Amino acid sequence: MLGRLVRPVLQRCATARHISTTLLPEDIELLRTTCWDFAEQELKPIAGEIDKEHKYPLEQVKMMGELGLMGMVAPEELGGAGMGYLAYAVAMEEISRGCATAGVILSVNNSLYLGPLLSHGTQAQMEKWVSPFLDGEHVGCFCLSEPGNGSDAGAASTTATLRDSGHYELNGAKAWITNGYESEAAVVFATTDKSLKHKGISAFVVPKPHEGISLGKKEDKLGIKGSSTCVINFDNCMIDQENLLGKSGDGFKIAMKTLDAGRIGVAGQALGIAQASLECAVAYSQQRQAFGAPISRMQTIQNKLADMECRIWSARLVNWHAAKLKDDGHSFTKEAAMAKLIASEAATYCAHQAIQVLGGMGYVSDMPAERHYRDARITEIYEGTSEIQRLVIAGNLLKEMIQ
């Protein structure tokens, strides 16, 4: 009996209609359609398998590279797509709607790894550390968080000591590193002068594997299980002085600027999860019969669907606004924090409501609703918790009001 109900619902989820919008430029709407098609054909059919088997979707990542998605904001002269953050936000949503694991891999490579290299790297660094990481064959990672600092990014205990040989020696550990096992390079933040506190943090690009680097166990996570997350240990790891990113002491500023842009990507990921949850709920409500009619005709169910749609579009428009501000060279810190906060909370809300619509069927792994519920939760945590986003928003708001 359950099989007769599950199969048509899954089929409807797998053939959800792409909804175009006149709000986007023609080229970005075309990109959105391309990513939607890719998610339908290549990601949604295997998303459950990726989750259950903790499987890194290597072939799909390579396909995303072929589409230009792994280096969306990298300039064309380096081999990138040469698009902006509005395009990136749109792509992140559509890819994550198909598979949240693929979304986070896309996000980390674009925002957290390539982002600081593109904004602070020399031409030589970009040719060496950007161009080879655009095709999906190679991905990078971002090493900021530590076992003891979490939201306090300025309290980096990992050190980088300049030795007489002209090399920096890295010692310490970085925690919660997405793509930790698959990445072949890392942007690493380490303290070069403890007396200067956060102004004594510097950024480096570090090859992987490399002598002095070891990986901790793969974390067994609640969601986004296909991407590896681990501790990266640095034990007398020697790197060339030319691997310094920007100037010595610029690390904290680089990290904060990187996270501002990264929040647009995470908001896109959250929106994709929220949209997938809504589509699952709608499909089930049209299939499930109660009291002689589909439950989609019941006012209680309609209220849930309406609230989900409103929250998704509210978050989507804020995220597009933040992305457009960045593309146009305006300040976007507050808006990016707003987008991540609203979108991540919309994702957890929609995933929760989808399970309520599905009832018992939402609690079993035969349906994607419970996976969306687990995947959504991390979007309120990484790249700045919801509590940190509220502090960022309020701090910037108060500055604006005082001025």
Side-chain angles (χ1 to χ4, degrees), residues 151-152 260 263 333-334 337-338 341 345 384-399:
S151 296
D152 186 6
D260 281 346
R263 286 164 185 156
T333 297
K334 183 187 74 174
M338 290 168 60
L341 174 65
E345 294 192 347
T385 64
S386 292
E387 290 75 15
I388 291 295
Q389 303 315 308
R390 287 182 166 88
L391 293 177
V392 171
I393 295 164
N396 281 271
L397 174 63
L398 292 170
K399 289 179 183 177

Side-chain angles (χ1 to χ4, degrees), residues 348-386:
T348 53
Y349 174 84
C350 290
H352 176 94
Q353 293 303 320
I355 289 179
Q356 290 302 110
V357 172
L358 270 66
M361 288 304 302
Y363 201 67
V364 296
S365 60
D366 291 332
M367 298 291 286
E370 61 87 29
R371 169 164 45 85
H372 300 326
Y373 187 79
R374 291 183 287 104
D375 287 341
R377 193 63 189 87
I378 189 60
T379 64
E380 288 195 65
I381 298 173
Y382 56 20
E383 296 194 41
T385 64
S386 292

Side-chain angles (χ1 to χ4, degrees), residues 109-180:
N109 200 66
N110 274 282
S111 301
L112 301 187
Y113 174 70
L114 295 176
L117 282 161
L118 291 170
S119 61
H120 292 85
T122 64
Q123 185 62 32
Q125 286 175 329
M126 288 190 284
E127 289 175 359
K128 183 175 182 179
W129 301 108
V130 171
S131 294
F133 289 81
L134 303 176
D135 60 2
E137 293 280 350
H138 312 285
V139 297
C141 67
F142 181 79
C143 298
L144 176 63
S145 294
E146 297 184 355
N149 71 5
S151 296
D152 186 6
S157 59
T158 297
T159 59
T161 306
L162 183 60
R163 298 303 185 190
D164 293 338
S165 63
H167 293 80
Y168 280 97
E169 181 183 306
L170 298 181
N171 284 283
K174 294 294 181 177
W176 312 115
I177 309 305
T178 303
N179 294 348

Side-chain angles (χ1 to χ4, degrees), residues 75-102:
E76 293 183 55
E77 54 267 28
L78 289 173
M83 303 191 79
Y85 265 76
L86 179 56
Y88 171 54
V90 167
M92 272 297 302
E93 177 179 345
E94 296 301 335
I95 294 300
S96 301
R97 186 184 66 87
C99 175
T101 284

Side-chain angles (χ1 to χ4, degrees), residues 27-253:
D27 60 333
I28 297 181
E29 183 59 43
L30 178 61
L31 169 71
R32 189 177 183 218
T33 301
T34 300
C35 292
W36 187 90
D37 288 339
F38 176 77
E40 289 294 306
Q41 297 169 18
E42 303 293 343
L43 296 177
K44 289 181 77 172
I46 64 167
E49 176 188 352
I50 288 171
D51 177 71
K52 290 178 181 179
E53 298 183 7
H54 300 204
K55 181 181 178 182
Y56 182 80
L58 178 60
E59 292 305 314
Q60 287 68 30
V61 172
K62 290 179 180 179
M63 291 179 192
M64 291 193 294
E66 292 172 2
L67 291 172
L69 301 180
M70 295 303 288
M72 293 199 66
V73 298
E76 293 183 55
E77 54 267 28
L78 289 173
M83 303 191 79
Y85 265 76
L86 179 56
Y88 171 54
V90 167
M92 272 297 302
E93 177 179 345
E94 296 301 335
I95 294 300
S96 301
R97 186 184 66 87
C99 175
T101 284
V104 74
I105 294 167
L106 181 68
S107 173
V108 168
N109 200 66
N110 274 282
S111 301
L112 301 187
Y113 174 70
L114 295 176
L117 282 161
L118 291 170
S119 61
H120 292 85
T122 64
Q123 185 62 32
Q125 286 175 329
M126 288 190 284
E127 289 175 359
K128 183 175 182 179
W129 301 108
V130 171
S131 294
F133 289 81
L134 303 176
D135 60 2
E137 293 280 350
H138 312 285
V139 297
C141 67
F142 181 79
C143 298
L144 176 63
S145 294
E146 297 184 355
N149 71 5
S151 296
D152 186 6
S157 59
T158 297
T159 59
T161 306
L162 183 60
R163 298 303 185 190
D164 293 338
S165 63
H167 293 80
Y168 280 97
E169 181 183 306
L170 298 181
N171 284 283
K174 294 294 181 177
W176 312 115
I177 309 305
T178 303
N179 294 348
Y181 270 72
E182 296 80 16
S183 57
E184 296 183 42
V187 173
V188 180
F189 297 86
T191 296
T192 47
D193 189 338
K194 290 183 179 181
S195 67
L196 296 177
K197 298 183 179 180
H198 70 278
K199 293 183 179 180
I201 296 174
S202 300
F204 303 87
V205 57
V206 181
K208 288 176 67 263
H210 191 67
E211 186 176 354
I213 294 179
S214 61
L215 306 180
K217 68 178 180 67
K218 290 184 181 180
E219 299 293 347
D220 187 6
K221 306 188 299 287
L222 178 70
I224 54 167
K225 293 188 174 184
S227 68
S228 65
T229 302
C230 67
V231 169
I232 297 184
N233 300 294
F234 300 91
D235 185 13
N236 300 327
C237 176
M238 306 298 288
I239 58 172
D240 293 334
Q241 197 168 345
E242 65 184 23
N243 288 40
L244 176 68
L245 192 57
K247 298 177 181 177
S248 181
D250 282 352
F252 187 78
K253 291 188 294 184

Side-chain angles (χ1 to χ4, degrees), residues 296-315:
S296 61
R297 296 184 185 178
M298 296 181 177
Q299 190 175 53
T300 297
I301 300 300
Q302 291 182 357
N303 286 342
K304 291 182 182 297
L305 300 179
D307 287 345
M308 292 164 75
E309 177 79 342
C310 287
R311 293 195 186 209
I312 289 171
W313 268 105
S314 297

